[in-house]
Amino acid sequence: QPAECFLTRPEEKEESTAKVKRRRKKKISDILAKSSPKPGVPEDLQKLLNQHFGSKRSVIELEELKLPDSCFLPANDLTHSFSSYLKEICPKWAKLRKNHKEKKSVLMLIVCSSALRCLELIKSMTAFKGDCKVMKLFAKHIKIKEQMHMLENGVIHLGVGTPGRIKALVEQDGLSLNSLKYLILDWNWRDQKLRRMIDIPEIRKETIDLLEMGIIKLCREDSVKLGLF
C-alpha cells in the first residue's frame, strides 16, 4: 500500500508541470519575446483606427478618420533617447514655449500607458524641456479637480499623462486643445509583460477615444502633429 501511494505522487507532479508549460506557450509575452521590436509607423495607427471603427462607421465617416502622412512627425527609429527624439521633432521648442501664454492649454501632450511610465518619461526629457512647466496628467494619487485648478491658474507648456485622464480633463473643460501643437504617443515602449500601450484593451480604447475627441480633426487641419515614440 505505501508503495502504491509513492508511485502516484510523481505522476501528479508530471501532469501539473505539463499543464503549466502548455499555458505559458499561449502568453502574448512569449510570442513578443521572439519577435524583434519594430518602430511604429503612420500605417499602424491608421490600421488601428480602421479596425476599431470599421464595422461601426459608414464609408464617409471612415474617410474623416483618415490621417494623411503629412499629419505625422518623423517616426522614432528606436535609436533615440526621449530628449533627442523631442529635439529632432520640435527644433523650435524654446521659441514656442516663450510665446505660450494661454492657460488651460498645453503645447505638447505625451500619452503613456501608466503613471509610472509618465514619471519615467518626465525624468528622461530634462535635456529637452528647459525651464518649461511640465504637468502630470494621470489619475494615480492626483485628483482631477487639482489638475483642473492648476491648468486654470498657471501656464503649462507640456502635459504627460494617461489617455483616460487626459480624455476626462478635455470632456470636463479642464484642458483645452486650442494651443496644442504636438501629440506624442509612447508607441514602442513595452511593459513587463511586453505589451505596448495599444496591446492593452482599455488603454487602446481610451487612446482612440481621445484621438476622436478633436485630435484627428486638428491633425487633418494641420494644426497638430502626431508622433509615435
Side-chain angles (χ1 to χ4, degrees):
Q1 278 178 345
E4 276 174 31
C5 203
F6 179 76
L7 282 169
T8 56
R9 278 180 189 160
E11 280 172 24
E12 280 171 19
K13 276 185 186 174
E14 276 170 29
E15 275 176 34
S16 63
T17 51
K19 277 177 189 173
V20 170
K21 278 179 187 172
R22 257 183 246 124
R23 277 195 214 111
R24 276 185 192 150
K25 279 178 188 173
K26 289 174 187 176
K27 279 188 180 177
I28 187 170
S29 53
D30 290 334
I31 300 156
L32 289 167
K34 289 171 189 170
S35 61
S36 57
K38 289 177 184 176
V41 290
E43 294 83 48
D44 293 338
L45 184 59
Q46 196 64 66
K47 191 180 169 188
L48 185 76
L49 291 169
N50 291 341
Q51 280 173 347
H52 185 79
F53 293 114
S55 59
K56 304 170 193 172
R57 303 286 166 96
S58 68
V59 178
I60 297 161
E61 285 173 321
L62 286 171
E63 269 300 312
E64 286 176 9
L65 294 171
K66 273 196 176 169
L67 290 162
D69 285 349
S70 58
C71 296
F72 289 88
L73 296 156
N76 172 25
D77 59 4
L78 304 180
T79 62
H80 281 288
S81 70
F82 194 46
S83 268
S84 72
Y85 172 72
L86 293 177
K87 278 179 184 176
E88 184 180 282
I89 61 161
C90 185
K92 294 178 181 175
W93 176 249
K95 190 181 176 183
L96 263 178
R97 73 167 194 259
K98 196 179 174 184
N99 296 334
H100 178 57
K101 301 281 187 281
E102 193 179 339
K103 290 175 182 178
K104 276 176 73 173
S105 193
V106 295
L107 292 167
M108 185 184 286
L109 272 176
I110 294 151
V111 187
C112 320
S113 58
S114 70
L116 274 173
R117 178 61 180 162
C118 291
L119 295 172
E120 250 177 65
L121 286 181
I122 290 167
K123 280 179 191 172
S124 68
M125 67 168 84
T126 313
F128 167 77
K129 66 184 175 72
D131 59 359
C132 79
K133 285 194 177 178
V134 180
M135 191 168 161
K136 300 165 191 168
L137 302 174
F138 49 76
K140 203 168 187 177
H141 311 311
I142 309 168
K143 289 178 182 174
I144 194 162
K145 283 183 181 176
E146 285 175 42
Q147 289 164 332
M148 287 170 81
H149 179 75
M150 285 169 77
L151 284 159
E152 210 171 313
N153 293 287
V155 175
I156 311 292
H157 303 88
L158 218 154
V160 186
T162 51
R165 177 50 62 94
I166 295 169
K167 189 181 81 155
L169 284 162
V170 174
E171 280 172 339
Q172 294 181 38
D173 198 31
L175 177 65
S176 161
L177 301 173
N178 291 346
S179 298
L180 189 66
K181 301 282 177 217
Y182 300 95
L183 184 108
I184 314 297
L185 297 173
D186 186 28
W187 190 269
N188 298 303
W189 181 77
R190 296 184 186 273
D191 65 11
Q192 286 179 324
K193 294 180 181 176
L194 296 180
R195 299 171 305 177
R196 297 166 303 167
M197 63 186 290
I198 55 146
D199 296 323
I200 304 163
E202 189 188 347
I203 302 292
R204 180 173 63 240
K205 187 186 179 301
E206 286 174 340
T207 303
I208 292 166
D209 289 346
L210 174 64
L211 290 170
E212 206 202 356
M213 279 175 74
I215 307 265
I216 290 172
K217 186 174 177 284
L218 291 167
C219 290
R220 284 169 65 93
E221 289 167 2
D222 206 31
S223 59
V224 171
K225 296 284 183 191
L226 274 170
L228 305 177
F229 175 67

